[in-house]
Amino acid sequence: MSDTENNLVCVFCGSYDGNDPVYVDAATALGRELVKSGYGLVYGGGTRGLMGRVARSVHDNNGQVVGIMPRALMSAEGCADEVGKVIVVESMHQRKSMMNDHASAFIALPGGFGTLEELLEITTWSLLSIHSKPVIVLNINEYYSALKAMVDTAVNSGFVSASNKHIVVFCDTPEEAVAAIKSYVPPSSRFGLNWEPKVPV
């Protein structure tokens, strides 16, 4: 992987625009802020909804864009080969694994079930020490306030430790979200598991 690709931020977001212009504005602003701060984008590869908005914003501001698109979704989400490099894969698992491999950090914009699943899985991967990268949630229009409250409920109910709740950082603006990448410190309370393959003796 090149040094440039090591500076890619993975953005999880919806393939719809949502019903409030604030979501489109946030996606466009996030793309602009990523490039301004020296980051490129790795994402799900679609041209529709917030996915397309953030990709075009990064591309229009001369940033690097890498899309990772499952073949089966190409007709549903579009394929963003006009705004950067597209890697076509055969499964959702490959998509998520490759996004993790390319990313130096993760930011979640608003989205549906797929976005929520990606966010929670990459959070779990951090908990299990599969990675130690920043996980940032962009809480535009308080979209993720219920999720933030759910995390607090999980802590108060004894299912998540108080320190591990900080695996995820919630931010209100694109500027705060990008700045949080540099200041992020993974909690030391995460499970210190070793995922390196065992080398035969």
Side-chain angles (χ1 to χ4, degrees), residues 33-120:
E33 193 66 26
L34 285 171
V35 177
K36 178 182 174 183
S37 299
Y39 297 107
L41 171 72
V42 59
Y43 79 119
T47 59
R48 297 170 188 164
L50 299 187
M51 283 203 293
R53 303 284 185 176
V54 70
R56 280 188 286 272
S57 179
V58 171
H59 182 264
D60 290 348
N61 285 278
N62 300 312
Q64 182 185 13
V65 177
V66 178
I68 301 177
M69 171 63 72
R71 192 179 307 277
L73 283 177
M74 290 176 72
S75 61
E77 293 184 349
C79 190
D81 54 0
E82 75 273 18
V83 292
K85 175 182 177 183
V86 175
I87 302 170
V88 179
V89 296
E90 300 302 326
S91 71
M92 293 295 287
H93 180 75
Q94 278 183 291
R95 180 198 228 180
K96 290 182 288 185
S97 180
M98 288 190 71
M99 286 195 293
N100 176 58
D101 289 343
H102 282 73
S104 59
F106 303 91
I107 295 177
L109 280 163
F113 290 136
T115 302
L116 291 169
E117 185 269 339
E118 288 169 330
L119 170 60
L120 292 176

Side-chain angles (χ1 to χ4, degrees), residues 69-193:
M69 171 63 72
R71 192 179 307 277
L73 283 177
M74 290 176 72
S75 61
E77 293 184 349
C79 190
D81 54 0
E82 75 273 18
V83 292
K85 175 182 177 183
V86 175
I87 302 170
V88 179
V89 296
E90 300 302 326
S91 71
M92 293 295 287
H93 180 75
Q94 278 183 291
R95 180 198 228 180
K96 290 182 288 185
S97 180
M98 288 190 71
M99 286 195 293
N100 176 58
D101 289 343
H102 282 73
S104 59
F106 303 91
I107 295 177
L109 280 163
F113 290 136
T115 302
L116 291 169
E117 185 269 339
E118 288 169 330
L119 170 60
L120 292 176
E121 181 166 19
I122 213 66
T123 301
T124 303
W125 285 12
S126 178
L127 176 66
L128 299 176
S129 300
I130 295 174
H131 74 83
S132 298
K133 303 168 186 177
V135 180
I136 315 297
V137 171
L138 188 41
N139 192 23
I140 295 296
N141 206 25
E142 296 195 353
Y143 184 81
Y144 283 111
S145 291
L147 177 62
K148 187 177 182 181
M150 183 67 238
V151 173
D152 287 335
T153 297
V155 171
N156 294 334
S157 300
F159 291 105
V160 174
S161 72
S163 53
N164 280 336
K165 70 176 281 187
H166 299 297
I167 290 173
V168 182
V169 175
F170 290 83
C171 296
D172 294 327
T173 69
E175 293 80 8
E176 290 174 5
V178 174
I181 295 172
K182 289 189 171 69
S183 61
Y184 184 86
V185 178
S188 59
S189 54
R190 298 176 309 144
F191 303 143
L193 304 178

